[in-house]
Amino acid sequence: MIDKAKGLANEAAGKAKRAIGEATNRPDITADGDRQEAKGDLQKAKGDVKGAINRI
């Protein structure tokens, strides 16, 4: 559960950073947002796997 929550938070923060980077024409901030969003996706997947294992 914690991994999924962290993943959602990182995904949201990454999307916000990407939007700010695109709005201000800052590719470095856009790339940072993309990385953070990808990190969030991985954390959510990790939480899904842990949840599936616990249900077995």
Side-chain angles (χ1 to χ4, degrees), residues 11-46:
E11 188 177 17
K15 286 180 181 182
K17 280 184 185 178
R18 184 169 28 119
I20 291 168
E22 289 173 355
T24 59
N25 197 28
R26 294 278 310 270
D28 57 325
I29 295 175
T30 303
D32 189 35
D34 288 340
R35 281 191 298 274
Q36 189 166 3
E37 189 174 354
K39 179 181 176 182
D41 288 339
L42 289 173
Q43 285 175 316
K44 285 189 335 187
K46 180 180 173 184

